Amino acid sequence: MSDKESLLSMGFDPARIDWALKATRSSGLQPAMDHLLANSEKPIPEAEDDEDEESVKASIKKIEGGVDDSELVAKSIKCSECGKIFRSTVSAELHAEKSGHDQFEESTEEIKPLTEEEKKAKLADLREKLAIKRAAQAKIDAKDNKANEALRRKAGQDTGKIKDDMQAKEMQKEAERKRREKLDDQRAKAAIKAQIEADKRERAEKAARDKAIREGGSSAAQTPPAPASVAKPAAGVSSSDNPQTRLQVRLSIGGQPITKAFPSDNTLIDVAEWVASENLNYNVDTVTFASTFPRKTYSRDEMKKTLKQNGLTPSAVLIAS
C-alpha cells in the first residue's frame, strides 16, 4: 500500500494529501502526516503551471546525465579495509570470516555480470581449488587410516600377547597342581608303607615280648634280636622298667618321621615340645598323639603322664596331628 493510499484510508482529503506529499517530496508517510496536521487550517495553494526550482534542477541533471544524491541506491557492499565489493551480505559475511575484516559500507557501485568466458574461467578455477582441497584431504585421510591401522594391529598384538601370557600362566598353574598332587601321592604312599613296616615291627616286638614272658627267662640267644630302631632293654631290667624310651613320631602335617630316645619319666608334653621344635607346623598346646597298636588317642590328661605310665616304654610309634 502506497503512502497516498494509507492516508486516504485514514480519511484525509485527497487534495490535501497531494499537497502534503508534494511539499515533503514524498519522503515518507510520517512527514506527510505531520504536514497534514500542521496545515489542516490553511487553504490549499493553487496549482502552478510552471515547475518549481527543484523540479527544474532535477530535470537539468537528468538531461545532463547526472543523478541526484537522493536517487542513489546501494547496489553492493564494500569492505572498507581492502576495497573488495560483494553482491550480497552473505558474500560479505564469508569474506569477514576468512579475512577478519569487520568494516563494511554500502556502495552504489554495481558489480557487472560475468561474461561467458569469465564464468568458464572462474568455474575452472573453483574446480581446480576443489580438486586441490580433495587431494590434500585424501592425503590426510590416508595418513589417519594408516595410523589407525597401526593402532589396531598393535592392539591386536597386545591382546594376543595377553592371551598367550594368560594361557602360559594357566599351564604353569596346572603343572604346579599336578606336581603337588604327585608329591602328595608319593608322600601318602610312603606314609602307608612306613605304617605297614611299623606295624610289622610292632607285631614282631610284641611277639618277642610275649615269647620271653612265656619262656620265663630264656637265654638271650633264644630270643629274636630286636630291630635296630628299637632300644634294647638293659640286662636284668624288664621292658616296662627301662629308663629309656625310644619313640618314632610320624608327622601327619608333612615331613618325614622323626626318632629320639627320651627318659622314661618324661611326659608326652615333653615329646610335644620336641615335635614343635622340629616342625613349625605343630604347636605344643594343640598337638595330639595317637598310637596304631593298640589304637588309641591320648587325652590332655594322659599327655601329663610319663611315657612309662602311658605304657610306651621301651619303644613305641606315635602319630602327631
Side-chain angles (χ1 to χ4, degrees), residues 174-211:
E174 183 65 17
E176 180 65 21
R177 184 184 64 79
K178 290 182 178 180
R179 188 184 68 82
R180 287 198 302 268
E181 289 180 353
K182 186 176 181 181
L183 289 176
D184 292 341
D185 291 342
Q186 292 176 351
R187 289 171 182 169
K189 290 178 180 178
I192 294 172
K193 186 176 181 180
Q195 183 68 42
I196 293 172
E197 294 297 328
D199 292 343
K200 288 181 179 179
R201 288 196 298 270
E202 289 179 7
R203 287 195 295 270
E205 292 170 7
K206 184 176 183 299
R209 290 196 297 269
D210 292 342
K211 184 175 181 181

PDB file of all heavy atoms in Angstrom, residues 174-211:
ATOM      1  N   GLU A 174      48.580 -75.336  36.240  1.00  0.00           N
ATOM      2  CA  GLU A 174      48.159 -76.731  36.099  1.00  0.00           C
ATOM      3  C   GLU A 174      49.320 -77.678  36.341  1.00  0.00           C
ATOM      4  O   GLU A 174      49.175 -78.711  37.016  1.00  0.00           O
ATOM      5  CB  GLU A 174      47.586 -76.944  34.682  1.00  0.00           C
ATOM      6  CG  GLU A 174      47.039 -78.332  34.425  1.00  0.00           C
ATOM      7  CD  GLU A 174      45.835 -78.669  35.278  1.00  0.00           C
ATOM      8  OE1 GLU A 174      45.217 -77.724  35.831  1.00  0.00           O
ATOM      9  OE2 GLU A 174      45.510 -79.869  35.386  1.00  0.00           O
ATOM     10  N   ALA A 175      50.502 -77.329  35.796  1.00  0.00           N
ATOM     11  CA  ALA A 175      51.685 -78.169  36.013  1.00  0.00           C
ATOM     12  C   ALA A 175      52.053 -78.206  37.498  1.00  0.00           C
ATOM     13  O   ALA A 175      52.399 -79.270  38.040  1.00  0.00           O
ATOM     14  CB  ALA A 175      52.854 -77.647  35.180  1.00  0.00           C
ATOM     15  N   GLU A 176      51.979 -77.050  38.159  1.00  0.00           N
ATOM     16  CA  GLU A 176      52.284 -76.999  39.584  1.00  0.00           C
ATOM     17  C   GLU A 176      51.268 -77.814  40.390  1.00  0.00           C
ATOM     18  O   GLU A 176      51.631 -78.518  41.338  1.00  0.00           O
ATOM     19  CB  GLU A 176      52.286 -75.539  40.044  1.00  0.00           C
ATOM     20  CG  GLU A 176      52.598 -75.330  41.525  1.00  0.00           C
ATOM     21  CD  GLU A 176      54.008 -75.751  41.892  1.00  0.00           C
ATOM     22  OE1 GLU A 176      54.858 -75.832  40.981  1.00  0.00           O
ATOM     23  OE2 GLU A 176      54.245 -76.011  43.082  1.00  0.00           O
ATOM     24  N   ARG A 177      49.998 -77.737  39.987  1.00  0.00           N
ATOM     25  CA  ARG A 177      48.978 -78.510  40.690  1.00  0.00           C
ATOM     26  C   ARG A 177      49.240 -80.014  40.545  1.00  0.00           C
ATOM     27  O   ARG A 177      49.164 -80.774  41.522  1.00  0.00           O
ATOM     28  CB  ARG A 177      47.599 -78.170  40.132  1.00  0.00           C
ATOM     29  CG  ARG A 177      46.437 -78.841  40.862  1.00  0.00           C
ATOM     30  CD  ARG A 177      45.130 -78.524  40.191  1.00  0.00           C
ATOM     31  NE  ARG A 177      45.069 -79.068  38.842  1.00  0.00           N
ATOM     32  CZ  ARG A 177      44.800 -80.357  38.568  1.00  0.00           C
ATOM     33  NH1 ARG A 177      44.579 -81.217  39.561  1.00  0.00           N
ATOM     34  NH2 ARG A 177      44.746 -80.769  37.323  1.00  0.00           N
ATOM     35  N   LYS A 178      49.560 -80.435  39.319  1.00  0.00           N
ATOM     36  CA  LYS A 178      49.853 -81.853  39.101  1.00  0.00           C
ATOM     37  C   LYS A 178      51.096 -82.288  39.869  1.00  0.00           C
ATOM     38  O   LYS A 178      51.144 -83.403  40.403  1.00  0.00           O
ATOM     39  CB  LYS A 178      50.039 -82.118  37.604  1.00  0.00           C
ATOM     40  CG  LYS A 178      48.743 -81.998  36.805  1.00  0.00           C
ATOM     41  CD  LYS A 178      48.984 -82.318  35.347  1.00  0.00           C
ATOM     42  CE  LYS A 178      47.671 -82.241  34.547  1.00  0.00           C
ATOM     43  NZ  LYS A 178      47.895 -82.556  33.112  1.00  0.00           N
ATOM     44  N   ARG A 179      52.105 -81.401  39.917  1.00  0.00           N
ATOM     45  CA  ARG A 179      53.323 -81.749  40.668  1.00  0.00           C
ATOM     46  C   ARG A 179      53.017 -81.923  42.144  1.00  0.00           C
ATOM     47  O   ARG A 179      53.499 -82.862  42.791  1.00  0.00           O
ATOM     48  CB  ARG A 179      54.370 -80.648  40.467  1.00  0.00           C
ATOM     49  CG  ARG A 179      55.742 -80.982  41.035  1.00  0.00           C
ATOM     50  CD  ARG A 179      56.687 -79.801  40.874  1.00  0.00           C
ATOM     51  NE  ARG A 179      56.275 -78.707  41.723  1.00  0.00           N
ATOM     52  CZ  ARG A 179      56.583 -78.627  43.025  1.00  0.00           C
ATOM     53  NH1 ARG A 179      57.272 -79.601  43.615  1.00  0.00           N
ATOM     54  NH2 ARG A 179      56.192 -77.603  43.742  1.00  0.00           N
ATOM     55  N   ARG A 180      52.193 -80.996  42.685  1.00  0.00           N
ATOM     56  CA  ARG A 180      51.828 -81.124  44.098  1.00  0.00           C
ATOM     57  C   ARG A 180      51.028 -82.400  44.345  1.00  0.00           C
ATOM     58  O   ARG A 180      51.234 -83.095  45.359  1.00  0.00           O
ATOM     59  CB  ARG A 180      51.026 -79.898  44.538  1.00  0.00           C
ATOM     60  CG  ARG A 180      51.856 -78.635  44.685  1.00  0.00           C
ATOM     61  CD  ARG A 180      51.104 -77.602  45.522  1.00  0.00           C
ATOM     62  NE  ARG A 180      49.827 -77.273  44.926  1.00  0.00           N
ATOM     63  CZ  ARG A 180      49.626 -76.273  44.085  1.00  0.00           C
ATOM     64  NH1 ARG A 180      50.652 -75.509  43.720  1.00  0.00           N
ATOM     65  NH2 ARG A 180      48.426 -76.021  43.591  1.00  0.00           N
ATOM     66  N   GLU A 181      50.110 -82.699  43.417  1.00  0.00           N
ATOM     67  CA  GLU A 181      49.334 -83.931  43.574  1.00  0.00           C
ATOM     68  C   GLU A 181      50.242 -85.146  43.550  1.00  0.00           C
ATOM     69  O   GLU A 181      50.052 -86.098  44.330  1.00  0.00           O
ATOM     70  CB  GLU A 181      48.286 -84.015  42.468  1.00  0.00           C
ATOM     71  CG  GLU A 181      47.137 -83.020  42.614  1.00  0.00           C
ATOM     72  CD  GLU A 181      46.127 -83.152  41.494  1.00  0.00           C
ATOM     73  OE1 GLU A 181      46.406 -83.917  40.542  1.00  0.00           O
ATOM     74  OE2 GLU A 181      45.059 -82.493  41.558  1.00  0.00           O
ATOM     75  N   LYS A 182      51.230 -85.143  42.650  1.00  0.00           N
ATOM     76  CA  LYS A 182      52.152 -86.269  42.561  1.00  0.00           C
ATOM     77  C   LYS A 182      52.965 -86.411  43.847  1.00  0.00           C
ATOM     78  O   LYS A 182      53.146 -87.529  44.366  1.00  0.00           O
ATOM     79  CB  LYS A 182      53.072 -86.067  41.359  1.00  0.00           C
ATOM     80  CG  LYS A 182      53.981 -87.246  41.087  1.00  0.00           C
ATOM     81  CD  LYS A 182      54.795 -87.016  39.813  1.00  0.00           C
ATOM     82  CE  LYS A 182      55.693 -88.214  39.531  1.00  0.00           C
ATOM     83  NZ  LYS A 182      56.507 -88.005  38.298  1.00  0.00           N
ATOM     84  N   LEU A 183      53.450 -85.252  44.375  1.00  0.00           N
ATOM     85  CA  LEU A 183      54.209 -85.299  45.626  1.00  0.00           C
ATOM     86  C   LEU A 183      53.334 -85.784  46.777  1.00  0.00           C
ATOM     87  O   LEU A 183      53.787 -86.583  47.625  1.00  0.00           O
ATOM     88  CB  LEU A 183      54.773 -83.912  45.941  1.00  0.00           C
ATOM     89  CG  LEU A 183      55.913 -83.421  45.039  1.00  0.00           C
ATOM     90  CD1 LEU A 183      56.299 -81.996  45.405  1.00  0.00           C
ATOM     91  CD2 LEU A 183      57.138 -84.336  45.183  1.00  0.00           C
ATOM     92  N   ASP A 184      52.084 -85.295  46.796  1.00  0.00           N
ATOM     93  CA  ASP A 184      51.177 -85.747  47.858  1.00  0.00           C
ATOM     94  C   ASP A 184      50.924 -87.247  47.757  1.00  0.00           C
ATOM     95  O   ASP A 184      50.878 -87.946  48.791  1.00  0.00           O
ATOM     96  CB  ASP A 184      49.851 -84.988  47.768  1.00  0.00           C
ATOM     97  CG  ASP A 184      50.009 -83.510  48.103  1.00  0.00           C
ATOM     98  OD1 ASP A 184      51.025 -83.159  48.745  1.00  0.00           O
ATOM     99  OD2 ASP A 184      49.121 -82.713  47.722  1.00  0.00           O
ATOM    100  N   ASP A 185      50.757 -87.739  46.527  1.00  0.00           N
ATOM    101  CA  ASP A 185      50.569 -89.188  46.351  1.00  0.00           C
ATOM    102  C   ASP A 185      51.796 -89.953  46.828  1.00  0.00           C
ATOM    103  O   ASP A 185      51.673 -90.989  47.498  1.00  0.00           O
ATOM    104  CB  ASP A 185      50.288 -89.500  44.878  1.00  0.00           C
ATOM    105  CG  ASP A 185      48.923 -88.986  44.429  1.00  0.00           C
ATOM    106  OD1 ASP A 185      48.087 -88.720  45.320  1.00  0.00           O
ATOM    107  OD2 ASP A 185      48.713 -88.866  43.217  1.00  0.00           O
ATOM    108  N   GLN A 186      52.974 -89.456  46.465  1.00  0.00           N
ATOM    109  CA  GLN A 186      54.198 -90.130  46.890  1.00  0.00           C
ATOM    110  C   GLN A 186      54.327 -90.132  48.410  1.00  0.00           C
ATOM    111  O   GLN A 186      54.703 -91.149  49.011  1.00  0.00           O
ATOM    112  CB  GLN A 186      55.414 -89.447  46.257  1.00  0.00           C
ATOM    113  CG  GLN A 186      55.513 -89.633  44.740  1.00  0.00           C
ATOM    114  CD  GLN A 186      56.666 -88.866  44.137  1.00  0.00           C
ATOM    115  OE1 GLN A 186      57.309 -88.056  44.819  1.00  0.00           O
ATOM    116  NE2 GLN A 186      56.935 -89.106  42.862  1.00  0.00           N
ATOM    117  N   ARG A 187      53.998 -88.992  49.028  1.00  0.00           N
ATOM    118  CA  ARG A 187      54.080 -88.922  50.493  1.00  0.00           C
ATOM    119  C   ARG A 187      53.064 -89.860  51.136  1.00  0.00           C
ATOM    120  O   ARG A 187      53.360 -90.514  52.146  1.00  0.00           O
ATOM    121  CB  ARG A 187      53.832 -87.483  50.948  1.00  0.00           C
ATOM    122  CG  ARG A 187      54.971 -86.537  50.625  1.00  0.00           C
ATOM    123  CD  ARG A 187      54.581 -85.102  50.889  1.00  0.00           C
ATOM    124  NE  ARG A 187      55.653 -84.172  50.549  1.00  0.00           N
ATOM    125  CZ  ARG A 187      55.506 -82.866  50.491  1.00  0.00           C
ATOM    126  NH1 ARG A 187      54.316 -82.322  50.749  1.00  0.00           N
ATOM    127  NH2 ARG A 187      56.531 -82.092  50.183  1.00  0.00           N
ATOM    128  N   ALA A 188      51.861 -89.876  50.550  1.00  0.00           N
ATOM    129  CA  ALA A 188      50.839 -90.763  51.119  1.00  0.00           C
ATOM    130  C   ALA A 188      51.265 -92.223  51.014  1.00  0.00           C
ATOM    131  O   ALA A 188      51.109 -93.014  51.969  1.00  0.00           O
ATOM    132  CB  ALA A 188      49.513 -90.539  50.391  1.00  0.00           C
ATOM    133  N   LYS A 189      51.817 -92.600  49.834  1.00  0.00           N
ATOM    134  CA  LYS A 189      52.280 -93.983  49.665  1.00  0.00           C
ATOM    135  C   LYS A 189      53.427 -94.293  50.614  1.00  0.00           C
ATOM    136  O   LYS A 189      53.483 -95.375  51.208  1.00  0.00           O
ATOM    137  CB  LYS A 189      52.729 -94.190  48.218  1.00  0.00           C
ATOM    138  CG  LYS A 189      51.582 -94.193  47.213  1.00  0.00           C
ATOM    139  CD  LYS A 189      52.102 -94.362  45.799  1.00  0.00           C
ATOM    140  CE  LYS A 189      50.942 -94.352  44.795  1.00  0.00           C
ATOM    141  NZ  LYS A 189      51.424 -94.475  43.392  1.00  0.00           N
ATOM    142  N   ALA A 190      54.345 -93.318  50.776  1.00  0.00           N
ATOM    143  CA  ALA A 190      55.466 -93.529  51.690  1.00  0.00           C
ATOM    144  C   ALA A 190      54.963 -93.670  53.122  1.00  0.00           C
ATOM    145  O   ALA A 190      55.460 -94.507  53.895  1.00  0.00           O
ATOM    146  CB  ALA A 190      56.449 -92.370  51.581  1.00  0.00           C
ATOM    147  N   ALA A 191      53.950 -92.854  53.483  1.00  0.00           N
ATOM    148  CA  ALA A 191      53.410 -92.933  54.842  1.00  0.00           C
ATOM    149  C   ALA A 191      52.728 -94.280  55.065  1.00  0.00           C
ATOM    150  O   ALA A 191      52.879 -94.904  56.137  1.00  0.00           O
ATOM    151  CB  ALA A 191      52.434 -91.787  55.081  1.00  0.00           C
ATOM    152  N   ILE A 192      51.987 -94.733  54.057  1.00  0.00           N
ATOM    153  CA  ILE A 192      51.328 -96.049  54.191  1.00  0.00           C
ATOM    154  C   ILE A 192      52.359 -97.165  54.314  1.00  0.00           C
ATOM    155  O   ILE A 192      52.228 -98.080  55.151  1.00  0.00           O
ATOM    156  CB  ILE A 192      50.402 -96.283  52.983  1.00  0.00           C
ATOM    157  CG1 ILE A 192      49.236 -95.283  53.011  1.00  0.00           C
ATOM    158  CG2 ILE A 192      49.879 -97.710  52.974  1.00  0.00           C
ATOM    159  CD1 ILE A 192      48.385 -95.312  51.772  1.00  0.00           C
ATOM    160  N   LYS A 193      53.393 -97.075  53.463  1.00  0.00           N
ATOM    161  CA  LYS A 193      54.440 -98.097  53.518  1.00  0.00           C
ATOM    162  C   LYS A 193      55.149 -98.098  54.869  1.00  0.00           C
ATOM    163  O   LYS A 193      55.411 -99.164  55.467  1.00  0.00           O
ATOM    164  CB  LYS A 193      55.444 -97.841  52.398  1.00  0.00           C
ATOM    165  CG  LYS A 193      56.506 -98.920  52.269  1.00  0.00           C
ATOM    166  CD  LYS A 193      57.401 -98.647  51.058  1.00  0.00           C
ATOM    167  CE  LYS A 193      58.460 -99.750  50.933  1.00  0.00           C
ATOM    168  NZ  LYS A 193      59.351 -99.501  49.765  1.00  0.00           N
ATOM    169  N   ALA A 194      55.447 -96.872  55.383  1.00  0.00           N
ATOM    170  CA  ALA A 194      56.095 -96.773  56.690  1.00  0.00           C
ATOM    171  C   ALA A 194      55.185 -97.306  57.792  1.00  0.00           C
ATOM    172  O   ALA A 194      55.650 -97.955  58.742  1.00  0.00           O
ATOM    173  CB  ALA A 194      56.464 -95.317  56.966  1.00  0.00           C
ATOM    174  N   GLN A 195      53.870 -97.020  57.650  1.00  0.00           N
ATOM    175  CA  GLN A 195      52.922 -97.519  58.636  1.00  0.00           C
ATOM    176  C   GLN A 195      52.901 -99.049  58.644  1.00  0.00           C
ATOM    177  O   GLN A 195      52.872 -99.686  59.701  1.00  0.00           O
ATOM    178  CB  GLN A 195      51.536 -96.966  58.326  1.00  0.00           C
ATOM    179  CG  GLN A 195      50.457 -97.372  59.330  1.00  0.00           C
ATOM    180  CD  GLN A 195      50.663 -96.745  60.692  1.00  0.00           C
ATOM    181  OE1 GLN A 195      51.000 -95.577  60.769  1.00  0.00           O
ATOM    182  NE2 GLN A 195      50.494 -97.524  61.752  1.00  0.00           N
ATOM    183  N   ILE A 196      52.929 -99.626  57.438  1.00  0.00           N
ATOM    184  CA  ILE A 196      52.933-101.099  57.341  1.00  0.00           C
ATOM    185  C   ILE A 196      54.187-101.670  57.989  1.00  0.00           C
ATOM    186  O   ILE A 196      54.128-102.655  58.759  1.00  0.00           O
ATOM    187  CB  ILE A 196      52.821-101.524  55.865  1.00  0.00           C
ATOM    188  CG1 ILE A 196      51.438-101.140  55.328  1.00  0.00           C
ATOM    189  CG2 ILE A 196      53.050-103.017  55.717  1.00  0.00           C
ATOM    190  CD1 ILE A 196      51.287-101.351  53.834  1.00  0.00           C
ATOM    191  N   GLU A 197      55.349-101.063  57.673  1.00  0.00           N
ATOM    192  CA  GLU A 197      56.608-101.540  58.267  1.00  0.00           C
ATOM    193  C   GLU A 197      56.582-101.386  59.782  1.00  0.00           C
ATOM    194  O   GLU A 197      57.043-102.264  60.511  1.00  0.00           O
ATOM    195  CB  GLU A 197      57.785-100.760  57.666  1.00  0.00           C
ATOM    196  CG  GLU A 197      58.019-101.008  56.190  1.00  0.00           C
ATOM    197  CD  GLU A 197      58.387-102.463  55.912  1.00  0.00           C
ATOM    198  OE1 GLU A 197      59.018-103.089  56.766  1.00  0.00           O
ATOM    199  OE2 GLU A 197      58.020-102.954  54.825  1.00  0.00           O
ATOM    200  N   ALA A 198      56.039-100.253  60.254  1.00  0.00           N
ATOM    201  CA  ALA A 198      55.973-100.049  61.710  1.00  0.00           C
ATOM    202  C   ALA A 198      55.058-101.086  62.359  1.00  0.00           C
ATOM    203  O   ALA A 198      55.365-101.621  63.439  1.00  0.00           O
ATOM    204  CB  ALA A 198      55.484 -98.639  62.015  1.00  0.00           C
ATOM    205  N   ASP A 199      53.930-101.346  61.700  1.00  0.00           N
ATOM    206  CA  ASP A 199      53.024-102.359  62.247  1.00  0.00           C
ATOM    207  C   ASP A 199      53.703-103.730  62.304  1.00  0.00           C
ATOM    208  O   ASP A 199      53.543-104.487  63.291  1.00  0.00           O
ATOM    209  CB  ASP A 199      51.759-102.434  61.384  1.00  0.00           C
ATOM    210  CG  ASP A 199      50.917-101.173  61.509  1.00  0.00           C
ATOM    211  OD1 ASP A 199      51.130-100.410  62.481  1.00  0.00           O
ATOM    212  OD2 ASP A 199      50.047-100.942  60.625  1.00  0.00           O
ATOM    213  N   LYS A 200      54.478-104.036  61.269  1.00  0.00           N
ATOM    214  CA  LYS A 200      55.205-105.317  61.274  1.00  0.00           C
ATOM    215  C   LYS A 200      56.193-105.363  62.433  1.00  0.00           C
ATOM    216  O   LYS A 200      56.298-106.382  63.142  1.00  0.00           O
ATOM    217  CB  LYS A 200      55.945-105.502  59.952  1.00  0.00           C
ATOM    218  CG  LYS A 200      55.043-105.807  58.763  1.00  0.00           C
ATOM    219  CD  LYS A 200      55.877-106.001  57.510  1.00  0.00           C
ATOM    220  CE  LYS A 200      54.995-106.326  56.302  1.00  0.00           C
ATOM    221  NZ  LYS A 200      55.800-106.490  55.061  1.00  0.00           N
ATOM    222  N   ARG A 201      56.929-104.266  62.626  1.00  0.00           N
ATOM    223  CA  ARG A 201      57.899-104.246  63.716  1.00  0.00           C
ATOM    224  C   ARG A 201      57.204-104.360  65.068  1.00  0.00           C
ATOM    225  O   ARG A 201      57.672-105.051  65.969  1.00  0.00           O
ATOM    226  CB  ARG A 201      58.729-102.950  63.651  1.00  0.00           C
ATOM    227  CG  ARG A 201      59.714-102.911  62.504  1.00  0.00           C
ATOM    228  CD  ARG A 201      60.752-101.806  62.718  1.00  0.00           C
ATOM    229  NE  ARG A 201      60.127-100.497  62.760  1.00  0.00           N
ATOM    230  CZ  ARG A 201      59.937 -99.742  61.683  1.00  0.00           C
ATOM    231  NH1 ARG A 201      60.296-100.204  60.493  1.00  0.00           N
ATOM    232  NH2 ARG A 201      59.377 -98.564  61.800  1.00  0.00           N
ATOM    233  N   GLU A 202      56.084-103.654  65.195  1.00  0.00           N
ATOM    234  CA  GLU A 202      55.364-103.721  66.471  1.00  0.00           C
ATOM    235  C   GLU A 202      54.871-105.141  66.755  1.00  0.00           C
ATOM    236  O   GLU A 202      54.961-105.626  67.893  1.00  0.00           O
ATOM    237  CB  GLU A 202      54.194-102.740  66.453  1.00  0.00           C
ATOM    238  CG  GLU A 202      54.620-101.281  66.516  1.00  0.00           C
ATOM    239  CD  GLU A 202      53.437-100.339  66.470  1.00  0.00           C
ATOM    240  OE1 GLU A 202      52.302-100.838  66.518  1.00  0.00           O
ATOM    241  OE2 GLU A 202      53.642 -99.114  66.383  1.00  0.00           O
ATOM    242  N   ARG A 203      54.345-105.771  65.694  1.00  0.00           N
ATOM    243  CA  ARG A 203      53.885-107.156  65.899  1.00  0.00           C
ATOM    244  C   ARG A 203      55.050-108.083  66.250  1.00  0.00           C
ATOM    245  O   ARG A 203      54.928-108.960  67.127  1.00  0.00           O
ATOM    246  CB  ARG A 203      53.176-107.646  64.635  1.00  0.00           C
ATOM    247  CG  ARG A 203      51.800-107.028  64.432  1.00  0.00           C
ATOM    248  CD  ARG A 203      51.007-107.786  63.394  1.00  0.00           C
ATOM    249  NE  ARG A 203      51.607-107.691  62.077  1.00  0.00           N
ATOM    250  CZ  ARG A 203      51.324-106.730  61.199  1.00  0.00           C
ATOM    251  NH1 ARG A 203      50.442-105.791  61.529  1.00  0.00           N
ATOM    252  NH2 ARG A 203      51.902-106.714  60.020  1.00  0.00           N
ATOM    253  N   ALA A 204      56.198-107.865  65.602  1.00  0.00           N
ATOM    254  CA  ALA A 204      57.376-108.686  65.912  1.00  0.00           C
ATOM    255  C   ALA A 204      57.855-108.433  67.333  1.00  0.00           C
ATOM    256  O   ALA A 204      58.218-109.370  68.074  1.00  0.00           O
ATOM    257  CB  ALA A 204      58.493-108.402  64.907  1.00  0.00           C
ATOM    258  N   GLU A 205      57.849-107.144  67.742  1.00  0.00           N
ATOM    259  CA  GLU A 205      58.266-106.818  69.109  1.00  0.00           C
ATOM    260  C   GLU A 205      57.315-107.434  70.130  1.00  0.00           C
ATOM    261  O   GLU A 205      57.737-107.986  71.153  1.00  0.00           O
ATOM    262  CB  GLU A 205      58.305-105.301  69.267  1.00  0.00           C
ATOM    263  CG  GLU A 205      59.397-104.622  68.464  1.00  0.00           C
ATOM    264  CD  GLU A 205      59.248-103.112  68.454  1.00  0.00           C
ATOM    265  OE1 GLU A 205      58.361-102.629  69.196  1.00  0.00           O
ATOM    266  OE2 GLU A 205      59.985-102.435  67.712  1.00  0.00           O
ATOM    267  N   LYS A 206      56.024-107.327  69.861  1.00  0.00           N
ATOM    268  CA  LYS A 206      55.050-107.878  70.807  1.00  0.00           C
ATOM    269  C   LYS A 206      55.182-109.401  70.890  1.00  0.00           C
ATOM    270  O   LYS A 206      55.121-110.001  71.987  1.00  0.00           O
ATOM    271  CB  LYS A 206      53.634-107.510  70.366  1.00  0.00           C
ATOM    272  CG  LYS A 206      52.554-107.953  71.358  1.00  0.00           C
ATOM    273  CD  LYS A 206      51.196-107.462  70.912  1.00  0.00           C
ATOM    274  CE  LYS A 206      50.134-107.841  71.949  1.00  0.00           C
ATOM    275  NZ  LYS A 206      50.028-109.291  72.141  1.00  0.00           N
ATOM    276  N   ALA A 207      55.397-110.025  69.720  1.00  0.00           N
ATOM    277  CA  ALA A 207      55.563-111.488  69.732  1.00  0.00           C
ATOM    278  C   ALA A 207      56.794-111.880  70.512  1.00  0.00           C
ATOM    279  O   ALA A 207      56.792-112.860  71.282  1.00  0.00           O
ATOM    280  CB  ALA A 207      55.641-111.997  68.294  1.00  0.00           C
ATOM    281  N   ALA A 208      57.876-111.085  70.359  1.00  0.00           N
ATOM    282  CA  ALA A 208      59.102-111.388  71.097  1.00  0.00           C
ATOM    283  C   ALA A 208      58.894-111.211  72.589  1.00  0.00           C
ATOM    284  O   ALA A 208      59.369-112.031  73.396  1.00  0.00           O
ATOM    285  CB  ALA A 208      60.227-110.487  70.599  1.00  0.00           C
ATOM    286  N   ARG A 209      58.176-110.132  72.948  1.00  0.00           N
ATOM    287  CA  ARG A 209      57.949-109.922  74.381  1.00  0.00           C
ATOM    288  C   ARG A 209      57.070-111.029  74.967  1.00  0.00           C
ATOM    289  O   ARG A 209      57.342-111.546  76.056  1.00  0.00           O
ATOM    290  CB  ARG A 209      57.284-108.552  74.599  1.00  0.00           C
ATOM    291  CG  ARG A 209      58.197-107.373  74.329  1.00  0.00           C
ATOM    292  CD  ARG A 209      57.623-106.085  74.929  1.00  0.00           C
ATOM    293  NE  ARG A 209      56.349-105.725  74.307  1.00  0.00           N
ATOM    294  CZ  ARG A 209      56.239-104.936  73.245  1.00  0.00           C
ATOM    295  NH1 ARG A 209      57.329-104.436  72.677  1.00  0.00           N
ATOM    296  NH2 ARG A 209      55.056-104.638  72.736  1.00  0.00           N
ATOM    297  N   ASP A 210      56.014-111.388  74.241  1.00  0.00           N
ATOM    298  CA  ASP A 210      55.129-112.452  74.737  1.00  0.00           C
ATOM    299  C   ASP A 210      55.887-113.773  74.872  1.00  0.00           C
ATOM    300  O   ASP A 210      55.702-114.535  75.849  1.00  0.00           O
ATOM    301  CB  ASP A 210      53.949-112.628  73.790  1.00  0.00           C
ATOM    302  CG  ASP A 210      53.033-111.416  73.813  1.00  0.00           C
ATOM    303  OD1 ASP A 210      53.132-110.621  74.784  1.00  0.00           O
ATOM    304  OD2 ASP A 210      52.219-111.255  72.868  1.00  0.00           O
ATOM    305  N   LYS A 211      56.755-114.070  73.913  1.00  0.00           N
ATOM    306  CA  LYS A 211      57.519-115.336  73.971  1.00  0.00           C
ATOM    307  C   LYS A 211      58.479-115.318  75.142  1.00  0.00           C
ATOM    308  O   LYS A 211      58.647-116.335  75.846  1.00  0.00           O
ATOM    309  CB  LYS A 211      58.276-115.499  72.659  1.00  0.00           C
ATOM    310  CG  LYS A 211      59.017-116.837  72.582  1.00  0.00           C
ATOM    311  CD  LYS A 211      59.662-116.991  71.207  1.00  0.00           C
ATOM    312  CE  LYS A 211      60.383-118.339  71.137  1.00  0.00           C
ATOM    313  NZ  LYS A 211      61.053-118.530  69.823  1.00  0.00           N
TER     314      LYS A 211
END
